[in-house]
Amino acid sequence: MISLLIVDDEKIIRRGLQSVIERQFPDLFKYRFAENGEEALELLRQEPADIMFTDIRMPIMDGIELLDQLQDHPVKPEVVLLSGYNDFVYAQKGIRFAVKDYLVKPVIREELFAVLERLMLDIKKREERADQAGEDASLFAAELVTLHLTQKDVDDAITPNKLKQAGLSWLDAGYTLGLVTQRGGSSQASSTDAASFRNQIAELLQGHMNWMLTRDGKGGTIMIASNPDMFYRLAEQWGLSEYETQLRIAISDSVQGIEQIRWAYSQAKQTMKYGILLPDLDVLDYAGISDRNERYVVPMELIGRILNLLGMGRGDEIKQLLDQILDVRIISSSEIGYLERISQLLNEELFDKLFRIYGFKVFGLLMKYAPVGHIGNFDRFEDYYQSVEQLLDRLDRFIQDRKEQVPTEQNTMQKVLTYLQTHYADNLNMAVVSNHFSLNYSYFSQAFQEFTGESFSNYVRRLRLDKAKELLVHSDLKVYEISDQVGFENVKHFTRIFKDTEGITALEFRSQRRRFETE
C-alpha cells in the first residue's frame, strides 16, 4: 500500500480528503494524520511516508517550516501543498523545497485525483529504478565474487572502490562462506535450475542484512554472510517451507577481506565432502572437521585379496574383507581423504582391472553401479557401502557363470574361425556369420574380439590379404583377378588396402618376393 500522510489543523478537512480519496482509490492507501508540522515530523521519524498533503497555515509549526525541517530527513515524501486563495505567496516558497504540486481549498475532486495519479506514477517509476539499481548492484557484486573465485589474476582488479560500488564493504569486517546444495541434488544442475534455487533462498532471507548469493563457476551456489548464524536460520526456514528437498550447507571459518575468499571457498568445498559421514546435519562447519585423524594406512592388500576371491564362490570371505576395508569406526573418525583413497583404489585396483579382463561383457554391470565410482554420489556412507557390497556380489556370480561358459565359447569361436578360413571369399559380414551360428549379434562381437584379440572386420581383412599374398607369389593371376578371388569388392579397394597395410603395391610385392625366392 502507498503511505499517505495528511497534515491539517482541521479534522473535517483531514477526514474529508480521506473519504474522497478512498472512494476513488479503495484499499490503495495507508492513511496517517497530523494536526501540525511538529506532529507530522514525529510521525515521519517513526515511519516514512510516500506522499504528504500539508496545509500551509497551521499552529505550532506551519507547512513551510515543516518543509524546511524535512530537508534533513533521509527519506522524504512527495509533497502536495494545500492552500487558500490568499496563501499563494506562501505556496511559492514551497517551490524551493521541491514541492510536487499544490491544491487550492476547497479541493476540486478532479484536480485531487489527477495529482494523485501523477504521483503514483512517479512513485512506481522510482521504485522500478530502485529495484533495477538494487538488482544491478546485486548482479555486479555476485559477478565480482565469481570472477575472483574462478580467475587467478584479478587481485588488482578487486579494488576497495569496486567493493564499495558492489555494496561489499562489509566483507572487510569479517564473513563466512557457505556452499549450499539440495540433498540428493546434482552438482551440475542447469543454469535455470540453479538460478531458481538461488531465488528460493533469497526469498527466505529477505529482511536480513549483509549477505549475498552467487555461483562458483561450476554450477554451485555460494552464500556469503557476515553472521554465520544466518546459515542455520536458512536451513531451519527451508525445513519449515513447502519445499520437499532438504538443504545441505557447508561453511568455512570466519575470514576477512575478499582476498581470503578462495581460502574460505576451499574450506567449504572440503567440508561438503563430510556430508556422507554426517548425513543428519543440515549445516556442516569446517571447525568441526579440521582436526580429524590423517594417520590411517589404506588397506591395499585387502583389496587385492578381494580381486583374487571373486568368482570362487567365497562370498562370506569377500564380505569380511569389505568390512575391514570400509570399517565405519575408522572412517567416521578419519579425514575424508582416507575414504576417498579407498574409493579410488576400489575403482583402479578392482573394478577397472575386471573391465580389462572381461571387457564389454562386464561393462553393463559396472555401469549399473557407476555411482560407486565416487563417494560424492552418495548422501550416506551406508548407501555407498551397500552399493559396493552389491556390486561385488554381482561380480562374484558373474565370474562364476563365465567360468562355466568358457569351454563352450571357445569351441564355438574355433568353429567360427574354421568357417571363415573356408568362406573368406564370400560376401561376409558379422550379421551373416552370427546368424549362421545362431548367436546374438552383440554377444558375437564381444566374444569374437575376446577370443581373437581383434575385431571381426580386421580379422577378415587380414585373412583375405594373407590369401592374396599367397596368390601373388604362387600364381600368375592378374591383380584384379586376385582381388575378386579373395573377396574384395573391387580392385581399387584392394590395391588401396594392400598399399596401406604392406607399404608397397601388390605388383611390387610380387616382384620382391619372387626375387627373394630366386636368390
Side-chain angles (χ1 to χ4, degrees), residues 412-471:
T412 301
M413 286 300 110
Q414 191 58 56
K415 291 180 179 179
V416 169
L417 297 188
T418 301
Y419 177 86
L420 293 178
Q421 289 286 339
T422 306
H423 297 84
Y424 64 88
D426 295 348
N427 184 19
L428 288 178
N429 59 55
M430 199 159 58
V432 170
V433 178
S434 62
N435 286 336
H436 180 81
F437 288 92
S438 301
L439 296 173
N440 173 271
Y441 181 91
S442 298
Y443 168 78
F444 176 78
S445 174
Q446 296 171 14
F448 187 91
Q449 179 145 353
E450 184 176 319
F451 187 77
T452 64
E454 60 183 325
S455 69
F456 178 85
S457 59
N458 284 343
Y459 182 90
V460 171
R461 182 174 58 200
R462 184 172 56 79
L463 179 60
R464 286 171 172 169
L465 285 174
D466 288 344
K467 298 296 182 181
K469 286 188 281 187
E470 290 179 14
L471 291 173

Side-chain angles (χ1 to χ4, degrees), residues 136-325:
D136 290 345
S138 296
L139 288 173
F140 177 65
E143 290 303 316
L144 193 66
V145 170
T146 300
L147 180 71
H148 198 77
L149 280 173
T150 57
Q151 298 188 21
K152 298 293 184 184
D153 303 319
V154 295
D155 290 330
D156 294 339
I158 310 301
T159 62
N161 186 50
K162 282 193 175 182
L163 287 178
K164 184 177 180 181
Q165 182 183 355
L168 295 176
S169 298
W170 53 271
L171 292 178
D172 290 333
Y175 62 92
T176 301
L177 182 146
L179 280 174
V180 188
T181 63
Q182 298 180 76
R183 298 285 182 97
S186 170
S187 61
Q188 303 297 324
S190 71
S191 58
T192 302
D193 291 341
S196 176
F197 179 48
R198 288 193 288 272
N199 288 336
Q200 292 167 345
I201 295 173
E203 288 179 6
L204 296 177
L205 294 176
Q206 283 185 349
H208 294 285
M209 299 291 291
N210 293 346
W211 63 272
M212 67 169 298
L213 292 170
T214 187
R215 51 193 174 82
D216 64 358
K218 301 176 182 178
T221 293
I222 292 175
M223 175 177 162
I224 300 172
S226 59
N227 185 352
D229 289 343
M230 284 189 64
F231 295 99
Y232 295 90
R233 290 195 209 110
L234 172 61
E236 182 180 0
Q237 291 177 30
W238 186 278
L240 296 173
S241 69
E242 73 277 9
Y243 304 126
E244 295 181 358
T245 57
Q246 287 181 281
L247 285 190
R248 172 162 287 157
I249 307 173
I251 64 175
S252 69
D253 279 338
S254 180
V255 296
Q256 290 180 308
I258 197 169
E259 62 274 8
Q260 291 293 318
I261 205 163
R262 289 197 194 106
W263 172 239
Y265 176 63
S266 68
Q267 288 183 343
K269 279 207 308 182
Q270 183 69 3
T271 304
M272 183 62 77
K273 296 177 181 179
Y274 286 85
I276 189 173
L277 301 178
L278 303 166
D280 296 326
L281 294 181
D282 294 326
V283 181
L284 306 171
D285 191 337
Y286 179 77
I289 58 93
S290 57
D291 59 349
R292 282 178 167 252
N293 197 321
E294 299 181 9
R295 296 192 300 272
Y296 292 113
V297 178
V298 176
M300 292 185 61
E301 180 185 346
L302 301 183
I303 295 174
R305 287 167 62 182
I306 285 182
L307 180 63
N308 295 334
L309 288 173
L310 285 173
M312 300 183 67
R314 295 161 68 176
D316 290 342
E317 293 181 50
I318 292 174
K319 175 70 167 58
Q320 291 173 5
L321 289 171
L322 185 62
D323 285 342
Q324 295 178 57
I325 294 168

Side-chain angles (χ1 to χ4, degrees), residues 105 123 160 167 183 279 367 403:
K105 298 178 182 179
I123 291 171
R183 298 285 182 97
M367 284 302 298
K403 288 179 177 178

Side-chain angles (χ1 to χ4, degrees), residues 2-6 21 25 28-29 49-54 76-82 98-103 110-129:
I2 298 173
S3 175
L4 172 59
L5 175 60
I6 301 175
I21 295 171
F25 304 104
L28 187 58
F29 293 95
D50 297 310
I51 301 172
M52 182 176 74
F53 284 180
T54 181
K76 303 179 184 66
E78 305 285 5
V79 178
V80 178
L81 285 178
L82 303 173
V99 171
K100 286 292 183 178
D101 217 324
Y102 71 92
L103 295 170
E110 289 72 18
E111 293 180 359
L112 173 63
F113 298 155
V115 168
L116 284 171
E117 287 173 352
R118 188 166 61 252
L119 290 177
M120 287 189 290
L121 182 61
D122 290 345
I123 291 171
K124 182 180 179 181
K125 289 180 178 178
R126 186 179 65 209
E127 289 176 344
E128 289 176 350
R129 288 195 298 271

